[in-house]
Amino acid sequence: MDPFLLMAIAIIVALLFDVMNGFHDTANAVATVIYTKALPPQVAIGMCAIMNMVGPFLLGTAVAKVIATSIIPSEKLTIAIVVAGLMGAIIWDLVTWYYGLPVSSSHALIGGLVGSGLAAIGLSGVKWGGLTNIVLALFISPVIGIVLGLVFMYLIGRFIISRMGREQANAVFKKVQILSSAAVSLTHGSNDAQKTMGIIAMFVAVTYGTGTPVIEPWIIIACAAAIGLGTAFGGWRIIRTLGERIGKEELSPSQGFAAETATALTIAIGSHVGAPISTTHVISSSIVGTVMAGGTGVLNKNVVLNILTAWLLTIPVAAIGAAISYFILTLVGI
């Protein structure tokens, strides 16, 4: 196949993943603001889509460079490896969306790249040192989300709700929460869209033989538009899980604000230092933290356990799907 045609097909697959990422992760920013009734659903999703598009332009491309250079050795990179990695991630995203499980598209992508790299090359097909740093960031960030969600909710309860009363405080937070939801969308776009930027930069580097992937302006524009488009469709199954099922009671506006603020802060730090963290894991864990501030007894433990199980399965299952996809691609001559 003509290498430039192959590159074009691969870029389309990457952008489809970005659309799926936005669709799957809409709940990250809008579940809390919808279920606290701070915004109507379509307004919340529209705001989220716009902020997801703006995010990649404001907070740099450090994450994209990490994805492009830290998982697969550049001298062994092929388009088939990366496309197979994307296919493994897309398949897992679709399965978990169907069951309403808020798993990480970031974990799925990284698992997919690892699986296709191993299938194509073997153990030397993965940069284990770079992968270790990425996985550490992915697993540390949810812990930070729980802690910040718990702390912010405690401070809100201690210094605001106790003085204003719950009803008045929630009326205030219902308005302020619009800003915190927008901040989550902005930072989500800055972190998650960058992962696909890194993938597309890989394709270009392989096709033109430049060696080192470079994040060109057109790549930023394409990925920002794709993730914004996916967000606009809205993943309602996952929105319901985050908004209704983690706690045994609906989230209050103060809880929504605390969870969103914790999430936006964690993701912004990750984007700044180039850590490709999971926005899905951070918002889920931040919600758990805010619910725990009212006592662990109000957590819906079965739902939380299902989410944790899906988290643990994401990397290995996406890796297996990517390995199978790689062998299929080789059979058809890609």
Side-chain angles (χ1 to χ4, degrees), residues 28 31-33 35-36 142-158 161 166 170 173 177 180 184 241-264 266 281-300 304:
N28 294 348
T32 49
V33 81
Y35 275 90
T36 60
V143 177
I144 296 173
I146 288 177
V147 172
L148 289 180
L150 183 61
V151 169
F152 287 160
M153 195 62 225
Y154 171 78
L155 293 175
I156 288 171
R158 177 71 175 81
I161 293 178
R166 188 170 300 276
N170 280 332
F173 281 113
Q177 195 190 349
S180 60
V184 173
T241 297
L242 290 179
E244 296 178 357
R245 299 174 62 201
I246 288 180
K248 294 180 180 178
E249 301 174 356
E250 285 193 4
L251 292 173
S252 67
S254 56
Q255 286 177 310
F257 173 81
E260 289 164 353
T261 304
T263 299
T266 304
H281 287 196
V282 175
I283 186 63
S284 300
S285 58
S286 297
I287 291 173
V288 169
T290 62
V291 173
M292 286 173 62
T296 56
V298 297
L299 277 177
N300 192 332
V304 173

Side-chain angles (χ1 to χ4, degrees), residues 19-324:
V19 172
M20 185 66 205
N21 191 354
F23 174 75
H24 196 278
D25 289 2
T26 301
N28 294 348
V30 303
T32 49
V33 81
I34 289 172
Y35 275 90
T36 60
K37 299 179 176 61
L39 283 176
Q42 295 308 320
V43 174
I45 291 172
M47 178 190 72
C48 180
I50 292 169
M51 298 306 286
N52 260 311
M53 291 179 64
V54 173
F57 293 98
L58 295 184
L59 298 176
T61 58
V63 173
K65 293 171 184 174
V66 169
I67 290 294
T69 60
S70 299
I71 300 176
I72 306 294
S74 57
E75 69 276 8
K76 299 180 179 180
L77 191 65
T78 66
I79 286 182
I81 290 175
V82 186
V83 170
L86 287 167
M87 290 172 66
I90 290 170
I91 291 167
W92 183 240
D93 271 357
L94 287 170
V95 170
T96 51
W97 163 79
Y98 180 80
Y99 288 102
L101 293 172
V103 302
S104 168
S105 295
S106 305
H107 279 206
L109 176 59
I110 289 164
L113 289 173
V114 170
S116 58
L118 290 173
I121 304 167
L123 291 175
S124 62
V126 177
K127 283 185 173 181
W128 297 104
L131 180 65
T132 299
N133 293 332
I134 290 171
V135 172
L136 281 174
L138 288 170
F139 280 97
I140 290 172
S141 53
V143 177
I144 296 173
I146 288 177
V147 172
L148 289 180
L150 183 61
V151 169
F152 287 160
M153 195 62 225
Y154 171 78
L155 293 175
I156 288 171
R158 177 71 175 81
F159 295 104
I160 299 178
I161 293 178
S162 63
R163 298 182 182 182
M164 297 178 63
R166 188 170 300 276
E167 186 174 339
Q168 186 177 357
N170 280 332
V172 172
F173 281 113
K174 186 176 286 190
K175 298 176 182 177
V176 178
Q177 195 190 349
I178 297 171
L179 297 177
S180 60
S181 177
V184 173
S185 299
L186 182 74
T187 54
H188 173 265
S190 74
N191 201 284
D192 276 44
Q194 286 196 53
K195 292 153 191 160
T196 311
M197 293 178 205
I199 294 294
I200 293 177
M202 288 181 183
F203 293 148
V204 176
V206 169
T207 303
Y208 287 93
T210 57
T212 303
V214 177
I215 314 301
E216 302 284 354
W218 70 267
I219 298 177
I220 300 175
I221 294 170
C223 292
I227 200 167
L229 177 64
T231 303
F233 289 123
W236 279 101
R237 292 174 184 266
I238 299 172
I239 289 172
R240 292 188 184 98
T241 297
L242 290 179
E244 296 178 357
R245 299 174 62 201
I246 288 180
K248 294 180 180 178
E249 301 174 356
E250 285 193 4
L251 292 173
S252 67
S254 56
Q255 286 177 310
F257 173 81
E260 289 164 353
T261 304
T263 299
L265 181 59
T266 304
I267 300 171
I269 293 171
S271 296
H272 179 71
V273 301
I277 64 178
S278 166
T279 54
T280 306
H281 287 196
V282 175
I283 186 63
S284 300
S285 58
S286 297
I287 291 173
V288 169
T290 62
V291 173
M292 286 173 62
T296 56
V298 297
L299 277 177
N300 192 332
K301 295 183 178 61
N302 288 335
V303 171
V304 173
L305 181 61
N306 288 340
I307 292 172
L308 287 173
T309 302
W311 286 5
L312 294 174
L313 289 174
T314 294
I315 289 179
V317 172
I320 293 169
I324 294 171

